[in-house]
Amino acid sequence: MTVLVAMSTKELWSKLWDLLIQKMALDTTKEEWEKLTEQTNKIDAELKRRGELLS
């Protein structure tokens, strides 16, 4: 995965939406779901660190 600190806020939001859309796909396996959840949690944490999301 890309280093999140180096990404712009716009890029982070875009990546987060892409991951959320992938999670909603009907053919997502449990393993894929868990990996996507881990990635979205990391992006959430970075956005919170930047003050873009509330806790």
Side-chain angles (χ1 to χ4, degrees):
M1 185 165 189
T2 309
V3 178
L4 299 178
V5 176
M7 294 177 74
S8 72
T9 300
K10 183 179 178 180
E11 290 172 320
L12 286 172
W13 278 109
S14 178
K15 180 75 172 166
L16 180 61
W17 281 111
D18 289 344
L19 291 170
L20 292 172
I21 290 168
Q22 288 178 32
K23 284 176 70 172
M24 293 185 331
L26 296 176
D27 61 345
T28 303
T29 65
K30 182 178 179 181
E31 293 79 21
E32 291 170 329
W33 177 270
E34 290 170 354
K35 183 177 178 181
L36 292 168
T37 299
E38 182 181 315
Q39 292 175 349
T40 56
N41 289 342
K42 288 178 182 179
I43 293 173
D44 281 348
E46 179 60 22
L47 288 169
K48 286 177 185 173
R49 186 189 71 76
R50 294 181 185 195
E52 295 290 326
L53 275 179
L54 299 176
S55 298

